[in-house]
Amino acid sequence: MAAITTSTNPVVVSMVSGTAPAAARSAAARGLLPLPQADLLEALVHLRGDSDVEVARAAQATLDAQQPDDLLNVARDNETAPAVLGYLASLGSAGHATHEAVANNNNTPDQAIALLAGITKEASLLEFMTLNQQRLIRAPEIIDAILLNPVRSAEAERRAKETRREFFEKERGARQIAQELRARGNSAAAEFFESAELMPVSGEMSVDDAWVIAQHIEVSDEDIDDSWLAREFIEEMLIETPEQTAANAQAVINAERLEGDASPERISLIRRIMFMTVKDRVKLGIKGDREARGILIRDANKIVATAVIHNPRLTDHEVEGIAAMRTVADEVLRLIGSNRAWARSYPIVHNLARNPRTPLATAIHILPRIRTNDLKAIALSRNVSEAVRRQAYRLSEMREPKKR
C-alpha cells in the first residue's frame, strides 16, 4: 500500500511517495534541505524506514538531534501529520509537555495514544488522557492501556473504569458522543449520529465510521423537506446484497479516479459512506456537506442520488457539474431539468442537452433554450441520441435567416 503524506510540499511528497532521487533523500535525511519544521519531521519520520541503510541512519540521527522546543511546537500544531504525531508519542525522551500536546492533538491516531498510555511513566499524563472521553469511547484500547500501566494514579484509574462501565457499549457511547456534539452546537451531526444504524449488525456502521461521517453533516432535521420520498415503495430499496454494495462502492471510486487521482483519504471516506445502509446514505445525501454530496450523487441507487438533489445546501455550481456527469441516474438529470430555478441557468441546461444520460423527453424539452451555435454543435455530436441531434438541427435551421 502506498504511503500517505499530509504535507503539500512537493519535496516531502516525493520523499513519501518514493519518487525522490537518492541524493535528495540523503540530503533530507541529514537535514540539509530548507524545509519548514513540520515538513522536515514528516520527511524524516518516513526516511528512517528507507531501504538505504545509510539514509535511514542519517534520518534517525537528525530526528534525535531535534530541539525539544521545536518538537513541542510541532506537537501543538493541528496541521501536523498523524505519522509525525505517532512518532512523537513513541518518543520516550520527548518530555511531558510534548506528550501532553500529542495527547491533545485531534490529528494524533488513536493507536498512538494507546501506545503512549502504555509506555508513559507519568501518572499526570494518564489523567490528562482520561479527560478526552470521546477518544476513549472511540478507542477502548486506550482504556485498557491506562488500566494496565502500573504508574496510573487512583484518579486515572477511576475515570478509565467509569468510562468503560458507562460507555463501553457502542450504542451508549454513540449517545454520549451525540450529546457532546449537540453541546458544541453541532446539532445536525448529533441528529445523524443518534439515528445512524450502528454495529454490531453486519453491514451497518461502526461508531468510528459514524463519527467520521457525522463531521460531514451540515443540515439539521428541521431544514429538511422529505415529502418527495415515497415511503410506500422505498422499503424494497432498503436491502442490498454485500456484492451489490461492494460493486457500488468500487464504481464510485472508479468514477472519482477518472476525474483525477483520488487521495487515499478520499477513497477511505468513499468506502465508509458507500458501505452504509441505503437508509443512512439517503439521510446523508439530504443532510451532508459538499464532499458527501459529491460521493453520493454517483450512487447506483437512484433514491440515494435523488436525495442529494433535495439537499437544501446544494449549489448551482454543483448542479452544473452534476448535469454534465455521465455516471448519474437518469432520474437525477430529469429532476434537474424540471427545476425552474436551475432551468434558468444556461450552463446547467447546456450540460443537460449535451449529456447522453439525460432522458430524451428532458433533452428535447430544453433544446429551445440552447443558443444557436451550441445547437449546431449538438446536431453534429455523436455523444447524444439521434433524436436529440435531429431536433437540434431542426431548431438551428429554423433560426437561420431565410435566403432570398
Side-chain angles (χ1 to χ4, degrees), residues 175-253:
R175 285 197 297 271
Q176 172 68 9
I177 293 176
Q179 290 169 7
E180 293 188 18
L181 285 168
R182 187 169 279 105
R184 295 181 181 185
N186 297 330
S187 60
E191 289 164 354
F192 177 85
F193 207 99
E194 286 177 322
S195 61
E197 297 181 359
L198 301 177
M199 291 288 279
V201 179
S202 177
E204 297 176 353
M205 280 190 293
S206 67
V207 171
D208 286 350
D209 287 343
W211 173 256
V212 171
I213 293 167
Q215 297 174 68
H216 290 275
I217 300 293
E218 62 178 8
V219 181
S220 179
D221 285 349
E222 62 187 16
D223 298 324
I224 296 300
D225 176 14
D226 61 357
S227 58
W228 59 273
L229 195 57
R231 301 184 188 281
E232 65 272 14
F233 65 81
I234 191 176
E235 293 300 325
E236 64 188 53
M237 305 290 292
L238 294 183
I239 299 176
E240 292 175 328
T241 66
E243 292 76 17
Q244 288 173 324
T245 301
N248 192 13
Q250 192 58 51
V252 174
I253 291 171

Side-chain angles (χ1 to χ4, degrees), residues 303-326:
I303 293 180
V304 176
T306 300
V308 175
I309 295 299
H310 290 88
N311 188 306
R313 299 290 193 274
L314 191 68
T315 66
D316 286 357
H317 183 70
E318 288 177 86
V319 175
E320 181 182 337
I322 294 168
M325 288 181 181
R326 300 186 183 186

Side-chain angles (χ1 to χ4, degrees), residues 274-299:
M274 300 311 293
F275 278 88
M276 293 162 58
T277 64
V278 176
K279 181 180 177 182
D280 279 336
R281 297 207 306 276
V282 168
K283 287 189 291 186
L284 182 59
I286 301 175
K287 304 175 70 172
D289 63 7
R290 188 186 187 99
E291 189 168 11
R293 295 194 294 267
I295 293 170
L296 290 172
I297 194 64
R298 306 176 190 277
D299 199 298

